[in-house]
Amino acid sequence: MALIEGWLPPSRENWELLTWLFQLFPLFTIVQWLVDYYPQGKTSIESRLNIPGKIGWATMEAPGFMVLLYIMFTLPQQVGLEKLPQANWVMASLFVRAPNPPISVPFHCTPQYQSQSQYQYQHSHPHANANAPSTQTIHYIYRALLAPLLLNPSMSPIHISVWLSALTFQFLNATCIGGWLAGYGPTDVAHWQGRILWVEVGMVIFFAGFLGNVYHDDELREIRRAAARKLRRREVEQGEKRKGGEVGMGGGVDKVYMMPENGLFRLVLFPHYLCEWIEWCGFWMVGGFGCVPARNFVVSEVTTMMPRALQGRRWYIKRFGREKVGSRKAVIPGLI
């Protein structure tokens, strides 16, 4: 049953239109190159239109994987597909942990490969098993739910303009990628045959980027965790009770900023951005360089995050001084 007839899940005509339009997304990021106004995170502002950071982040990011999964489970039936290749589900699982799919088929689908060859392949390529979507490490569960709601000690408010633009991005991106995976891209194993090495290398790149992203995110969290620990120790030493509840709220550690020093932070100020780009380049490689939605995703991420990183470097210089920032670039070591 379609939630929005012709759009969710999308008809082929609407999917092709959205995929073409999404290629134009980088044009909308031009304004970010021209102004430093970005009411979120370090550069958040006081406004009645602000949304609490944790709630805002979760609600603008989570619809992405929810839409993608909905399309994965509904579009095949709409277009008359009985089964999808398992590689499609593997790519979907890189977004989010999904339950065992009701539609799956091994890479080798011809009758002569349904016995011994299938057994040998699945045991030598664990990611091709039917349980792949339930066993793959995830991105958006971490990014949309675990990080903001459980891991981050605090988050600055997000202006509703940022929230709306991010929500729009998530719906467009998830619809384009979900449509490609669920019926308008590869619909049989012929697309994947002979590409197993590319798929495996792409997944290695994806998870290397994912782990790098998590590591550097946690380095930033540790700054606030350390500030919270210091505040608790001071309260204990002074025998005072902090008014207003838990540490990290109100005037506590919400606006604590230091120069991170570990990992790639020695070379750039936004290594978590770089690792996320690496992550999604691996995803694009898994789908094949002809996968237009994955390519659009990578290009859109780079064009919207690059000016944000350059703006952030200017912020670091203004706050800590050019000498403290030193030779560290914004996001690409030695270059940018």
Side-chain angles (χ1 to χ4, degrees):
M1 177 180 174
L3 290 181
I4 304 176
E5 191 66 35
W7 295 100
L8 198 60
S11 65
R12 186 173 191 95
E13 293 76 12
N14 290 339
W15 175 79
E16 290 177 349
L17 173 63
L18 291 177
T19 301
W20 183 84
L21 289 174
F22 198 42
Q23 295 181 95
L24 304 179
F25 179 84
L27 297 177
F28 294 93
T29 68
I30 293 176
V31 66
Q32 291 184 263
W33 294 87
L34 302 177
V35 299
D36 281 348
Y37 177 76
Y38 194 84
Q40 177 193 344
K42 291 186 289 292
T43 53
S44 61
I45 61 174
E46 293 186 8
S47 172
R48 289 185 295 178
L49 297 179
N50 280 349
I51 302 172
K54 293 189 175 189
I55 295 174
W57 188 272
T59 54
M60 75 184 190
E61 293 284 338
F65 72 81
M66 295 170 66
V67 168
L68 183 135
L69 284 180
Y70 175 77
I71 293 174
M72 289 293 294
F73 280 99
T74 57
L75 183 59
Q77 183 178 9
Q78 176 175 298
V79 298
L81 290 175
E82 181 181 353
K83 297 178 180 179
L84 288 173
Q86 281 186 346
N88 295 40
W89 284 101
V90 169
M91 284 192 70
S93 73
L94 298 179
F95 266 76
V96 58
R97 182 180 180 183
N100 294 344
I103 45 178
S104 60
V105 63
F107 286 109
H108 299 88
C109 65
T110 53
Q112 61 266 35
Y113 285 107
Q114 292 295 318
S115 55
Q116 183 178 359
S117 294
Q118 174 182 332
Y119 177 86
Q120 292 173 343
Y121 181 86
Q122 289 183 336
H123 281 71
S124 61
H125 298 77
H127 65 268
N129 292 337
N131 289 330
S134 65
T135 57
Q136 295 295 336
T137 309
I138 47 83
H139 174 87
Y140 270 102
I141 287 291
Y142 162 76
R143 177 182 173 88
L145 300 178
L146 294 180
L149 300 181
L150 298 178
L151 300 178
N152 292 350
S154 61
M155 292 186 71
S156 298
I158 299 172
H159 195 270
I160 193 171
S161 61
V162 175
W163 185 86
L164 287 172
S165 62
L167 186 65
T168 302
F169 179 94
Q170 290 296 337
F171 271 108
L172 283 173
N173 187 52
T175 301
C176 293
I177 292 178
W180 189 86
L181 290 173
Y184 302 139
T187 57
D188 56 52
V189 297
H191 174 87
W192 303 101
Q193 287 176 341
R195 296 194 61 253
I196 303 306
L197 179 61
W198 281 94
V199 170
E200 291 179 337
V201 172
M203 290 181 68
V204 169
I205 294 173
F206 178 93
F207 286 115
F210 175 80
L211 293 176
N213 191 5
V214 173
Y215 171 80
H216 292 100
D217 275 351
D218 199 61
E219 285 297 311
L220 295 175
R221 293 188 197 102
E222 181 57 27
I223 292 174
R224 293 188 179 179
R225 289 197 294 258
R229 291 193 296 267
K230 183 178 180 180
L231 180 60
R232 291 190 188 100
R233 286 196 301 269
R234 186 168 67 244
E235 289 176 349
V236 171
E237 291 171 358
Q238 296 177 350
E240 296 178 356
K241 292 185 178 180
R242 177 173 172 78
K243 296 181 180 180
E246 66 177 10
V247 174
M249 304 299 290
V253 298
D254 279 355
K255 288 290 185 179
V256 173
Y257 297 109
M258 298 174 61
M259 292 287 295
E261 301 290 344
N262 297 326
L264 291 176
F265 280 113
R266 298 185 182 95
L267 302 175
V268 293
L269 295 168
F270 292 86
H272 45 312
Y273 285 15
L274 175 62
C275 290
E276 186 162 332
W277 298 347
I278 292 172
E279 183 180 350
W280 293 118
C281 282
F283 180 82
W284 182 16
M285 188 173 178
V286 171
F289 293 120
C291 178
V292 174
R295 182 198 68 197
N296 289 349
F297 187 19
V298 172
V299 173
S300 296
E301 280 227 326
V302 172
T303 54
T304 194
M305 296 167 73
M306 179 73 78
R308 175 67 170 151
L310 294 172
Q311 174 198 15
R313 188 174 187 272
R314 293 192 292 271
W315 181 91
Y316 272 107
I317 291 174
K318 182 178 180 180
R319 187 176 183 95
F320 297 102
R322 189 172 297 275
E323 183 177 348
K324 182 70 173 178
V325 172
S327 62
R328 280 181 280 196
K329 299 297 184 179
V331 67
I332 301 178
L335 294 177
I336 301 175

